[in-house]
Amino acid sequence: MKSVCAAFLMLWGTALSAQEPAFMEAGTHPGSGALYSRLFWTSPPLSGGEGGRERGGLLESINAYGFTARRALLFDLGLDVDGVSEGSLRLKQRFLQFDTGPIDTWRASVHGGVHWREDGDPGARLGLVSTTIRGRHGWNLQLEWNEAEISERRYEANASHLYRIHPVRYAADTTGAWYTMLESLNAVSSDGDVAADVAIGLLYEGRRWACEASIRLIEPSEGISTADTVLGLGARMLW
């Protein structure tokens, strides 16, 4: 029993970071003094495309430094074939933490800062994120407003479910875990129109690193085709 409890504690940070899906944010934080780095590439439409991001997709560098266990600095950059195309600098503060077991928890954070794009003026970026873990299940919710978004889709309301497919139970010799990811990604315009995407993926999380792959279907309610489908590939590291 002691060895199993030790395994839970060892994998505590792993389990929390594993609840972060591919395309949306979660209520996860690096520990005090820890640096979390992630590279995430989104392909152009699988049918091919022309110009800008469509030629080579978008590579995002996503970073978080923990000042404390509850406060982190977030710094993100987006790069396309023409160079740096966007970025953001934010503070993230956890305001809720309700732990009900070695893994089970409910955590929520707010974040705020500035976002900029190469083809627009900088603007405020504000959001609320929540992560809940119960056994093998994890749920995430995200609400965000981005003033720098040049389109009318400045508001996001996203949700996701992650499920640990292996191992069924943690043990003293557990070194990693596999998760499925299902995301509902919704951009809301100022006139109330909603663009609703769906992403389905797979995540492997080790003790200090992870890799992921996900397919994003762009507004599948209007029909599924390679012209409206992109691939996301990512790698994560906790330093």
Side-chain angles (χ1 to χ4, degrees), residues 49-60:
E50 296 180 0
R53 295 183 182 181
E54 286 74 19
R55 295 201 303 270
L58 178 70
L59 179 65
E60 297 175 85

Side-chain angles (χ1 to χ4, degrees), residues 165-181:
I165 54 177
H166 181 78
V168 175
R169 295 180 178 85
Y170 288 120
D173 58 351
T174 300
T175 58
W178 288 92
Y179 296 82
T180 58
M181 299 184 289

Side-chain angles (χ1 to χ4, degrees), residues 76-152:
D76 307 333
L77 285 177
L79 302 95
D80 58 25
V81 293
D82 298 317
V84 177
S85 60
E86 61 185 294
S88 66
L89 182 66
R90 294 170 289 158
L91 282 175
K92 186 176 183 181
Q93 177 68 47
R94 177 180 296 148
F95 66 88
L96 183 148
Q97 179 173 335
F98 183 60
D99 301 329
T100 57
I103 296 296
D104 293 355
T105 188
W106 176 26
R107 302 188 178 193
S109 300
V110 292
H111 64 78
V114 62
H115 188 94
W116 62 269
R117 295 182 59 124
E118 62 179 349
D119 45 4
D121 295 328
R125 182 178 176 184
L126 307 170
L128 169 70
V129 286
S130 171
T131 293
T132 303
I133 301 172
R134 291 292 182 269
R136 298 167 70 184
H137 298 269
W139 294 269
N140 297 289
L141 296 173
Q142 177 191 17
L143 299 174
E144 184 169 301
W145 174 66
N146 190 343
E147 186 183 30
E149 178 55 56
I150 59 173
S151 73
E152 290 300 312

